[in-house]
Amino acid sequence: MSALTLRAAVTAFSPLAETIGADIGYGTATLGVFGMLPTAMFGLAGLVGPVLVRRFGLERTVLMAMLAAGAGSLARVFSSGTGELLALSGVALLGMGIGNVVIPPLVKRYFGDHLASISSLYIVMVQLSTVIPAFVAVPLAQAHGWRISMGVWALFGFAAAVPWLVVLRDRRGRDTVDTTALPASTPQTGKVWRSPVAWGMAGMFGMTSLTTYAMFAWLPTILSDAGASAAFAGTMVGLFALIGLVPALGAPTVVARMRNPFPVVVGCMVLFAIAFVGLLVAPMHLTVLWVLLLGLGPATFPMALTLINLRTRTPQGSAALSGFTQGVGYAVACVGPLLFGVLHSATGGWLAPFGLLFLAIGVLLAGAWQACKPRMLEDTW
């Protein structure tokens, strides 16, 4: 239920952005700000999340995150101005971003012996929270108005808070750590930014996110520029999002069974490269194939989320690695769609923007080389 809230505020808004702008009075320039807001707030959550975990514990932090997601999503539908809409959307997105950070260590705490299956479950829920609001936003708005269309997703945040209230009541607020299974020499705290594991994870996660968000933002324009109709371009974006369910289901299990899953990352980069070349050279020929390959390439996203738990010994280590990975990763991803657009505007073509993406997958490979090595964060921080 928590994972099902983690993208709703993003994809419930995007299809309605122009309609909302016409109603409350913002232009196309402001759309770029709204486009960067999710990754900016997710990056901020990577800094804030670990601090809240140390202060309040995992369970209280995720409860606050779900309540913030619900409250922000509900309050923003009453906005009458652009600043108000931005601020309240920021509250909802910060709550969801903190949820991004704390769910991996919660999986480690409660399901340490079922990491692959539970990771698959929550990552699939994240994918569904991306796909479903995008598909139903416009029909709901046409039937009931944009405020109802966006507001219904607040219910998911409030509903996800209820089980955590039950958990906290059962634990009476305790936030204990089992350290009996740790080697005596294992440090309980450390400086995560000193670890090559952490930087590798951040590179892997950040470059996957940069590439994915750039494609979400620009794939319709790439196809429209090649002569596709708006309906076809929109369908291809939906397919790109939907195909992400396949690696979400399978990648955590594959990663958990491999001592070093780096060869899988190499395979993903090959899929990315073929898709990039296809969209650059022949965007209107075999388009579905290019988009399918493009949707399978980000299997490195569920891989990274699973590795957060596989490369740590404790929920505290998992929380630290999760916060660092997602904080740095989303901060980098924030500039992806912007740089892609700037390069397109500067050159008038798509070669330079796709050159940026090829550079990104090169950095991704370098990061994954470090992240996939069979070693623990606590031994390197």
Side-chain angles (χ1 to χ4, degrees):
M1 291 177 69
S2 297
L4 200 55
T5 71
L6 296 186
R7 297 293 181 275
V10 181
T11 55
F13 173 83
S14 298
L16 305 174
E18 292 187 6
T19 302
I20 298 168
D23 187 20
I24 69 173
Y26 60 77
T28 53
T30 307
L31 286 177
V33 179
F34 277 106
M36 293 179 66
L37 188 62
T39 47
M41 298 311 294
F42 290 170
L44 177 61
L47 300 174
V48 173
V51 175
L52 293 176
V53 169
R54 287 194 294 270
R55 176 67 180 84
F56 299 106
L58 285 167
E59 291 80 5
R60 289 194 186 94
T61 300
V62 75
L63 172 62
M64 291 187 290
M66 294 302 103
L67 291 173
S73 296
L74 180 61
R76 70 177 181 167
V77 305
F78 299 104
S79 301
S80 56
T82 304
E84 192 180 355
L85 181 62
L86 271 170
L88 293 171
S89 294
V91 172
L93 291 166
L94 183 62
M96 294 175 187
I98 294 170
N100 287 335
V101 171
V102 297
I103 287 181
L106 283 163
V107 170
K108 189 172 188 70
R109 163 167 285 173
Y110 289 98
F111 303 99
D113 51 348
H114 295 92
L115 286 178
S117 58
I118 302 299
S119 294
S120 291
L121 174 62
Y122 96 76
I123 295 168
V124 166
M125 292 298 105
V126 172
Q127 290 294 127
L128 289 175
S129 77
T130 304
V131 173
I132 295 172
F135 275 113
V136 304
V138 173
L140 266 177
Q142 289 172 341
H144 304 288
W146 68 264
R147 296 180 190 272
I148 296 293
S149 179
M150 287 212 308
V152 295
W153 303 104
L155 299 175
F156 285 78
F158 294 130
V162 174
W164 294 113
L165 287 169
V166 176
V167 170
L168 279 167
R169 184 193 66 180
D170 195 45
R171 290 172 61 89
R172 291 186 174 87
R174 288 177 292 112
D175 198 12
T176 57
V177 187
D178 178 14
T179 59
T180 57
L182 296 176
S185 60
T186 300
Q188 297 306 301
T189 60
K191 295 181 178 179
V192 67
W193 59 88
R194 290 185 175 180
S195 168
V197 176
W199 283 107
M201 290 289 299
M204 182 178 175
F205 185 91
M207 292 302 105
T208 301
S209 299
L210 182 150
T211 303
T212 304
Y213 278 94
M215 285 291 94
F216 268 123
W218 287 98
L219 183 59
T221 308
I222 292 167
L223 296 178
S224 297
D225 192 50
S229 67
F232 179 76
T235 301
M236 290 301 98
V237 174
L239 178 62
F240 175 47
L242 195 61
I243 200 66
L245 287 169
V246 176
L249 279 168
T253 301
V254 172
V255 171
R257 290 179 177 176
M258 297 182 70
R259 186 169 181 269
N260 187 333
F262 183 71
V264 180
V265 178
V266 174
C268 292
M269 296 309 96
V270 171
L271 297 179
F272 265 140
I274 295 171
F276 294 163
V277 172
L279 288 170
L280 184 61
V281 175
M284 293 309 294
H285 299 280
L286 301 176
T287 310
V288 173
L289 175 61
W290 308 142
V291 173
L292 284 173
L293 297 179
L294 190 67
L296 292 173
T300 47
F301 177 78
M303 287 179 68
L305 291 177
T306 306
L307 282 169
I308 286 171
N309 283 328
L310 294 176
R311 295 297 177 262
T312 53
R313 287 196 172 93
T314 65
Q316 282 69 26
S318 178
L321 184 57
S322 181
F324 184 83
T325 296
Q326 299 191 55
V328 174
Y330 279 122
V332 171
C334 185
V335 301
L338 177 65
L339 278 179
F340 195 92
V342 167
L343 289 171
H344 175 58
S345 298
T347 63
W350 298 109
L351 183 60
F354 274 106
L356 171 69
L357 298 190
F358 274 106
L359 177 63
I361 64 174
V363 176
L364 198 164
L365 270 176
W369 175 259
Q370 293 289 340
C372 292
K373 290 180 180 179
R375 55 185 174 175
M376 295 295 178
L377 172 76
E378 289 88 346
D379 298 334
T380 63
W381 68 353

